[in-house]
Amino acid sequence: MADIQLPPPEELAKVSFQPRPQGWMDPCVEFRPGTWSYAGKPKALETVGMPNPREWSPTDADWKLPENWKEIILQGLRERLDKYRSLKVFLDICVRCGACADKCHFFIGSGDPKNMPVLRAELLRSVYRNDFTLAGKLLGKMVGARELTMDVVKEWFYYFYQCTECRRCSVFCPYGIDQAELTMIGRELLNLVGININWVMEPVAKCYMTGNHMGIPPHALKDNLEFFADDIENITGVRVDVPINKKGADVLFVVPSGDVMADPGIYTLMGYMMLLHESGLNYTWSTYASEGGNFGLFTSHEMIKRLNAKIYAEAKRLGVKWILGGECGHMWRVLHQYMDTLNGPADFLEVPVSPITGTRFEHARSTKMIHIAEFTADLIYHGKLKLDPSRNNAYKVTFHDSCNPARAMGLFEEPRYVIRNVCNHFYEMPENTIREQTFCCGGGAGLGNDENMEMRMRGGLPRGNAVRFVHERYGVNLLTAMCAIDRAVLTTLMEYWVPEVKVSGLHELVGNALVMKGEKKRELNLRSEPLNEGSEDTSD
């Protein structure tokens, strides 16, 4: 674990936005502790057949690249320009208007101009101009063209791994340029010569070998689920079913593995189990498709496809009708925007129809997969759940729109509908920090590691500031999010910026409020804490 000493929050919040003395075309960067991530380990790269596995560090003078590294990268860019029309469009049409400049949480938190999305993209665009445009070849620096040098490669690594691919900047771009796609291409090009980070590559390798990012083997997954069933029984008196690898089930349920292993995600998982048991859904877990998340999104388009294939393969093997997914962020960008193109069409599955309410989820006609927030909101809307929101009276809740379910799916109202039905105290953060304009947790896209702690806290400053606002105004003490990475990263972020606020998943609150058939008198919440300890008068 990295030993990064952070300054006090009041010091880190003092951000200077003064322009730097050197021009933007100067590629030199300083690898300060706390602002970069450890390099991918050779074992992880070898596992998935990635190029140039070796021991190296970004602080080394020699990054041990192949002799023809420049040719490899430029050829890779040429191939992607031919393959992805959107890439060429995004590189050509930007007019540097600056509408995105102050929208990036990393720029807001660091003041580094190269974290402005427009300028981060320019780091790649300048090489594109130099080698792939007539103007760049003739006029060079006059039109912003730069030669691909080793210093430029190091600059790419530094800044493409200070982007969480959250796409907030794209909301404000008048041309709709998707800066996350440019970051993804930048990372793909670096991967061609073995430049990557371990916090991405190790989960990718584990997912390739075991089906999930945490490296959980089948027996451990089964043991964990049964352990949580024991906890649920201790709290509620009800023994929930744990169907695993059940052929002929109606629904395959896929979650992020962080919910199986990590606090506070485990309480969200318990909420899932209670809800699915109480609803009577005929579903199954899978020890093969035991991961909905996809770190391939932070590696390459090909890796997205490889890691996501297991979900459709397992749905076909088990003979289910459709797929239900848990609370995850990048999982849902992949499933909603890539799955059908890369791994589909899933013609062997049916358009999802809730067997409990009869609702037909037409928007999932293509992917055959829906989000559990949609499923739960539908159950509540049709009166299929008995809920006691007073069981969450200890919490004054605000909701963090996780970037990918929000901006990639448009999943705004369903989670809020659920929260309002399971809690009595719900308060929104300011409008320009939620829904499609939501700020990132600061640790997505593989950046949620300890050695990158300063940039995580800087990137999380805007979200921390918004939470601080509702904490001071309304007494908010719980930040709820529908993303496993968010729940992990926001916990540390809150400890730093707003230590009075805890973090939960949506279905932890559902589990607390759910009145189950045959349950005993509830005295504990899912954290095994006294129910509503510290709660105040419920009237607002």
Side-chain angles (χ1 to χ4, degrees):
M1 181 178 293
D3 184 17
I4 303 298
Q5 297 298 319
L6 291 175
E10 58 272 17
E11 291 298 319
L12 200 68
K14 295 176 182 177
V15 180
S16 172
F17 294 97
Q18 288 294 319
R20 307 300 162 88
Q22 68 270 27
W24 76 266
M25 298 189 81
D26 180 356
C28 294
V29 293
E30 177 189 359
F31 286 92
R32 292 188 300 104
T35 65
W36 53 275
S37 302
Y38 293 156
K41 295 294 184 183
K43 182 178 178 181
L45 272 66
E46 289 167 355
T47 298
V48 289
M50 297 291 284
N52 197 23
R54 77 241 180 257
E55 291 285 352
W56 68 287
S57 170
T59 56
D60 293 341
D62 181 6
W63 282 19
K64 303 175 184 176
L65 302 187
E67 288 186 8
N68 62 335
W69 63 265
K70 183 174 180 179
E71 178 185 339
I72 292 171
I73 292 175
L74 291 178
Q75 178 59 27
L77 180 54
R78 181 176 294 106
E79 291 171 357
R80 283 154 183 79
L81 287 168
D82 291 340
K83 185 175 182 179
Y84 303 117
R85 182 172 180 270
S86 59
L87 173 60
K88 192 172 190 308
V89 171
F90 293 158
L91 290 174
D92 282 336
I93 67 173
C94 177
V95 295
R96 273 74 77 197
C97 69
C100 65
D102 61 346
K103 307 307 185 295
C104 176
H105 47 284
F106 281 120
F107 174 65
I108 295 170
S110 71
D112 187 337
K114 290 187 180 180
N115 270 324
M116 294 189 294
V118 60
L119 191 42
R120 189 188 295 111
E122 205 72 8
L123 306 182
L124 175 62
R125 188 176 287 114
S126 60
V127 173
Y128 161 71
R129 286 199 201 99
N130 188 75
D131 288 87
F132 297 94
T133 71
L134 180 60
K137 291 175 180 178
L138 294 177
L139 301 175
K141 289 185 177 181
M142 292 178 61
V143 293
R146 294 190 307 173
E147 182 183 355
L148 180 62
T149 66
M150 194 60 222
D151 282 340
V152 168
V153 168
K154 292 182 177 182
E155 179 189 53
W156 280 10
F157 173 84
Y158 191 71
Y159 289 106
F160 290 145
Y161 286 100
Q162 285 183 17
C163 170
T164 50
E165 303 178 13
C166 82
R167 303 166 74 233
R168 187 174 193 265
C169 53
S170 301
V171 172
F172 297 89
C173 177
Y175 292 96
I177 296 173
D178 190 336
Q179 299 287 359
E181 292 284 346
L182 295 180
T183 291
M184 290 167 65
I185 292 296
R187 291 188 181 188
E188 278 197 33
L189 297 176
L190 292 173
N191 269 288
L192 294 177
V193 291
I195 300 174
N196 34 55
I197 66 172
N198 202 54
W199 202 249
V200 169
M201 293 313 305
E202 194 164 304
V204 163
K206 287 179 177 177
C207 196
Y208 188 69
M209 294 299 292
T210 68
N212 61 77
H213 294 146
M214 307 289 284
I216 309 169
H219 63 277
L221 177 67
K222 179 178 183 292
D223 288 347
N224 273 26
L225 294 177
E226 291 179 349
F227 175 80
F228 295 134
D230 292 340
D231 278 357
I232 292 168
E233 187 173 15
N234 289 336
I235 293 168
T236 68
V238 177
R239 185 71 187 183
V240 301
D241 300 324
V242 187
I244 299 175
N245 299 334
K246 176 184 174 183
K247 288 193 174 184
D250 290 338
V251 176
L252 170 64
F253 185 43
V254 183
V255 303
S257 59
D259 285 352
V260 182
M261 297 291 287
D263 185 331
I266 55 176
Y267 309 116
T268 299
L269 187 92
M270 291 166 68
Y272 299 151
M273 296 171 72
M274 294 168 65
L275 172 81
L276 297 177
H277 173 88
E278 188 66 16
S279 69
L281 185 70
N282 180 17
Y283 82 101
T284 184
W285 303 83
S286 165
T287 56
Y288 175 65
S290 55
E291 177 69 70
N294 194 322
F295 271 44
L297 185 65
F298 317 138
T299 310
S300 71
H301 290 80
E302 179 58 30
M303 194 63 71
I304 294 172
K305 180 178 181 179
R306 287 169 67 181
L307 299 186
N308 198 61
K310 64 183 180 296
I311 298 177
Y312 277 161
E314 188 69 338
K316 190 170 188 176
R317 185 184 77 85
L318 294 175
V320 301
K321 296 178 180 177
W322 50 276
I323 309 167
L324 180 65
E327 296 181 24
C328 184
H330 56 284
M331 166 181 177
W332 282 101
R333 184 166 193 212
V334 170
L335 300 180
H336 196 66
Q337 299 189 338
Y338 293 95
M339 186 175 186
D340 188 41
T341 303
L342 292 178
N343 300 109
D347 295 336
F348 56 91
L349 295 174
E350 301 175 8
V351 177
V353 176
S354 171
I356 301 147
T357 67
T359 297
R360 186 179 179 88
F361 296 92
E362 284 289 346
H363 66 285
R365 170 176 288 277
S366 180
T367 62
K368 313 298 194 297
M369 186 165 184
I370 67 167
H371 194 289
I372 194 166
E374 303 172 281
F375 180 75
T376 303
D378 180 63
L379 291 176
I380 294 172
Y381 180 79
H382 286 92
K384 299 299 183 180
L385 300 177
K386 186 176 181 180
L387 301 167
D388 181 0
S390 71
R391 291 177 174 177
N392 284 312
N393 278 350
Y395 299 130
K396 292 190 174 182
V397 181
T398 193
F399 181 66
H400 166 75
D401 289 275
S402 299
C403 299
N404 286 309
R407 276 189 283 268
M409 284 188 76
L411 200 61
F412 304 131
E413 300 310 322
E414 290 87 343
R416 288 173 168 81
Y417 180 77
V418 172
I419 290 174
R420 289 189 175 100
N421 278 275
V422 300
C423 297
N424 285 318
H425 306 290
F426 174 58
Y427 305 92
E428 291 278 21
M429 286 180 277
E431 280 297 319
N432 64 335
T433 72
I434 59 175
R435 292 186 171 86
E436 69 273 8
Q437 296 187 39
T438 187
F439 276 110
C440 181
C441 65
L447 307 188
N449 52 67
D450 289 345
E451 66 267 21
N452 192 44
M453 190 61 74
E454 180 183 325
M455 285 311 299
R456 281 176 55 187
M457 296 304 105
R458 289 189 179 280
L461 170 59
R463 175 46 77 223
N465 191 45
V467 176
R468 168 67 63 186
F469 174 81
V470 289
H471 168 70
E472 293 179 348
R473 173 163 291 195
Y474 306 114
V476 163
N477 60 5
L478 189 71
L479 176 62
T480 296
M482 290 197 312
C483 172
I485 286 180
D486 279 342
R487 287 189 286 275
V489 172
L490 287 171
T491 297
T492 306
L493 192 74
M494 291 300 103
E495 289 172 356
Y496 185 76
W497 289 116
V498 200
E500 304 87 351
V501 176
K502 294 182 179 179
V503 177
S504 83
L506 178 67
H507 280 78
E508 176 183 344
L509 300 178
V510 173
N512 284 339
L514 186 63
V515 180
M516 304 180 74
K517 299 180 186 69
E519 71 173 26
K520 67 182 182 181
K521 182 180 178 181
R522 294 278 289 275
E523 297 178 345
L524 302 174
N525 63 20
L526 294 189
R527 301 187 184 211
S528 293
E529 301 167 341
L531 199 63
N532 288 333
E533 183 176 57
S535 63
E536 300 175 359
D537 180 36
T538 61
S539 60
D540 286 329

